[in-house]
Amino acid sequence: MTNRQWFTLHSWAGFAFAGLLFLVCLTGVLATLSYEIQYLSDDKYRALEARDGAVAWAQLEANLARNYPDSHLLGGKVHQQPYLAGEARLMTPEGFRFVFFDPASGKVLGEGQWGQLSRYLRDIHMYLSMGSIGKYLVTLTSVLLLISLVSSFFVYRKWWRGFLTKPGKLSWKKRTDWSSWHKWMGLWAWWLIAVMAVTGAWYLVERIMFDTGVDHYPSAPTITHTEVQRQQRAQSLAVLVEAARQARPDMDITGFYYPHNYDQVMAFVGQNGSTLVRDRANRVYLDPITAEVVSTQYASELDLVARIADTADPLHFGNFASGNLSGVTVKLVYALFGLMLTGLVVGGMRMHYLRTQRRDPNTAKWLGITGSFSIALSIAALIYTTMVFDEYGNTSTSLSPRLGDLMQQHQH
C-alpha cells in the first residue's frame, strides 16, 4: 500500500464512527475509576481499614440478620483494592438493595439501589444498554482501534523519533498543531491502544461464541435433591463459607452467589495468587442444602481459551493491583492514557473537519452517513441508559434462608 492509501485507511478508521468511538473511550476511562469516584462521593463506599486476613463473611451475615431480618441474601463480593467497601446483594420486602460493608469486620456501612454510577458507566461502555446488538457495536470498535494502530506506523514514518518531540502550541484553527499533538499522544498511548484493541477483539469473539453456542468455559455442575431436601432452604453463609475454606484453603474467598433453583450449586470465587485473573477463575461449588463440596476449579488448570476469558477483564480495566497505593496507581495510569486515547479521537475529528471545511463546510457532509449514525446512536444510548440503568432485572427467588430465621437459630 502507498502512503496515501495508509493515510486514507487511518483516517477512515478514526473518523467513520468517531462519535461511537469517543463515547466508548470516554466511558471506559470513567468506568475504570468508577468505584474510586463513588469512594469520594460517600462514606458507605469506603472500607474502614485494610483487612489482614479473610473477609468477615460470618460477621457480615450476622449484621445483616439484625438489620434486614425479612430479607434474603443473594450474593456478595469484595474488591481487589482494600480501600473499597464490599457489596452484599439483598432481596428485601421493598425490592433489591446493595448493602455496603467493611470487608475486615463485616460492619454494615450503608445501602443503595441497583442504579449506581459504576453500573451506569459499565452498561454504556460494555453494550450501550442494548443487549447483544449493543455488545457487537461496542466490540466492533476494537477493529477500528486495531486498524488505526497498525496504519499509524505507516502514516507516521520514523515514528520512534517522536517520543521526546515537544508538540506545538495547540491552536483551535491550525491543523498542523492538532497533528503534532495527535502524533505525540498516539506514540505515548500506543500500548494502551494495543491492549484495548486486543481485549476488545476478544470480547467480540467471546460474544460470537456465546451466541453460536460454542463452549469455551467450564460450566457449573448440576445437582439433584430428594423431595425432603427440596423443601429446605440453603445453609447459612457462615456454614457454607467454612466448607468452602476447608475445600480450598489456598483461596481467599472474595465473592459468592446463592443459587435460585434446587439443581444449581452454590458458587464461591476468589484469588489464590494466580497471575492476572479475575476472581471467577478460582471456584468452589457446594451443595447449598447439605454444604457438601461438589467440585472445585483452579485458575492454573483452565485451558487456554478459558484462561484468556479470565485475563481479559483485569487487563482491559486495569483492575489487577491489590495494594492501597498500587491499586489506585494502576487505575490512574490507565485513566491518563485512556484520556490520551479519547483525545486522539477528538483530535482526529477536528483535523478531518479542518481538512474538509475548505472544500465544503456543510456539517452533514463532513460527518457523512456513518458519522451521523454513530453520534445519533451515542446520544440514544446515553438517554436510554439514563432511563433503565437502575432497573433490577432478576425477580427470581433465592434459595438463601431468611436472614431473620438465622438470627433466631443463633439465639436458640
Side-chain angles (χ1 to χ4, degrees):
M1 293 178 64
T2 65
N3 288 356
R4 183 64 184 176
Q5 288 171 325
W6 279 116
F7 179 80
T8 301
L9 180 61
H10 184 79
S11 298
W12 175 85
F15 181 75
F17 297 92
L20 178 59
L21 195 57
F22 171 77
L23 179 67
V24 171
C25 292
L26 181 60
T27 54
V29 172
L30 295 175
T32 297
L33 295 174
S34 59
Y35 289 108
E36 282 68 27
I37 296 172
Q38 289 180 170
Y39 175 96
L40 295 174
S41 70
D42 198 310
D43 289 347
K44 68 184 179 184
Y45 298 114
R46 308 171 189 173
L48 299 178
E49 58 181 320
R51 64 184 173 96
D52 182 18
V55 178
W57 293 118
Q59 293 87 337
L60 169 66
E61 184 181 44
N63 291 332
L64 292 175
R66 283 190 291 270
N67 289 278
Y68 301 90
D70 295 323
S71 301
H72 291 266
L73 182 58
L74 304 179
K77 73 170 186 178
V78 297
H79 299 270
Q80 288 221 45
Q81 292 74 36
Y83 50 81
L84 296 174
E87 303 170 8
R89 299 184 177 196
L90 265 64
M91 186 56 70
T92 73
E94 292 77 32
F96 178 88
R97 292 291 185 276
F98 274 120
V99 176
F100 303 96
F101 66 94
D102 177 47
S105 64
K107 181 179 179 180
V108 172
L109 304 175
E111 67 172 49
Q113 296 183 345
W114 178 254
Q116 303 178 70
L117 175 66
S118 56
R119 180 79 272 143
Y120 179 86
L121 292 170
R122 278 165 169 74
D123 282 359
I124 292 180
H125 180 71
M126 292 191 298
Y127 60 100
L128 306 175
S129 300
M130 296 179 184
S132 184
I133 293 176
K135 189 73 171 182
Y136 279 112
L137 290 170
V138 169
T139 54
L140 280 169
T141 61
S142 66
V143 178
L144 300 177
L145 286 180
L146 188 59
I147 294 174
S148 296
L149 178 64
V150 173
S151 61
S152 66
F153 293 108
F154 293 92
V155 171
Y156 188 10
R157 301 290 179 174
K158 298 182 180 180
W159 51 266
W160 57 88
R161 297 179 179 177
F163 280 103
L164 300 180
T165 300
K166 183 179 179 181
K169 182 180 179 181
L170 188 60
S171 171
W172 182 248
K173 294 184 178 182
K174 290 187 65 175
R175 187 164 64 88
T176 54
D177 289 344
W178 282 97
S179 178
S180 65
W181 276 95
H182 191 79
K183 292 175 181 178
W184 185 82
M185 290 191 296
L187 280 174
W188 283 101
W190 76 266
W191 66 270
L192 184 72
I193 300 171
V195 170
M196 296 302 107
V198 171
T199 54
W202 162 254
Y203 292 139
L204 174 60
V205 172
E206 189 176 43
R207 184 73 255 173
I208 293 173
M209 289 192 291
F210 274 127
D211 290 344
T212 56
V214 176
D215 293 330
H216 68 284
Y217 199 86
S219 301
T222 57
I223 51 178
T224 57
H225 291 108
T226 66
E227 287 300 319
V228 174
Q229 289 174 329
R230 292 178 71 87
Q231 305 304 316
Q232 301 175 21
R233 307 297 297 185
Q235 297 275 359
S236 71
L237 178 61
V239 171
L240 293 167
V241 164
E242 183 58 31
R245 284 174 177 160
Q246 290 182 11
R248 288 288 303 273
D250 65 305
M251 187 174 86
D252 177 27
I253 296 174
T254 57
F256 66 92
Y257 313 93
Y258 270 102
H260 298 291
N261 300 313
Y262 281 95
D263 62 345
Q264 296 176 328
V265 290
M266 176 91 172
F268 287 90
V269 302
Q271 294 286 340
N272 71 336
S274 298
T275 303
L276 208 63
V277 291
R278 52 181 168 177
D279 294 356
R280 75 167 197 177
N282 294 286
R283 305 192 193 199
V284 178
Y285 292 114
L286 299 178
D287 183 327
I289 306 300
T290 65
E292 295 177 355
V293 177
V294 178
S295 67
T296 59
Q297 175 179 300
Y298 289 79
S300 59
E301 297 176 355
L302 293 173
D303 62 31
L304 178 61
V305 176
R307 181 61 182 252
I308 292 173
D310 281 333
T311 298
D313 264 18
L315 272 179
H316 192 77
F317 288 103
N319 187 30
F320 52 80
S322 57
N324 262 326
L325 181 60
S326 60
V328 72
T329 299
V330 170
K331 289 187 177 184
L332 287 172
V333 168
Y334 263 65
L336 173 62
F337 287 93
L339 284 174
M340 286 188 181
L341 173 54
T342 308
L344 286 171
V345 179
V346 175
M349 294 178 71
R350 181 61 182 169
M351 285 189 295
H352 190 274
Y353 175 77
L354 292 174
R355 186 168 56 250
T356 58
Q357 69 163 345
R358 298 172 185 173
R359 298 193 303 267
D360 191 345
N362 187 294
T363 302
K365 290 184 178 180
W366 164 63
L367 287 173
I369 296 175
T370 57
S372 300
F373 168 76
S374 68
I375 290 179
L377 180 66
S378 300
I379 294 173
L382 287 168
I383 295 173
Y384 184 67
T385 304
T386 303
M387 295 170 59
V388 304
F389 83 104
D390 60 347
E391 296 178 2
Y392 180 72
N394 191 349
T395 58
S396 58
T397 57
S398 171
L399 294 187
S400 62
R402 177 178 168 273
L403 288 167
D405 294 337
L406 294 175
M407 186 167 58
Q408 294 175 5
Q409 293 174 13
H410 290 311
Q411 289 174 348
H412 287 94

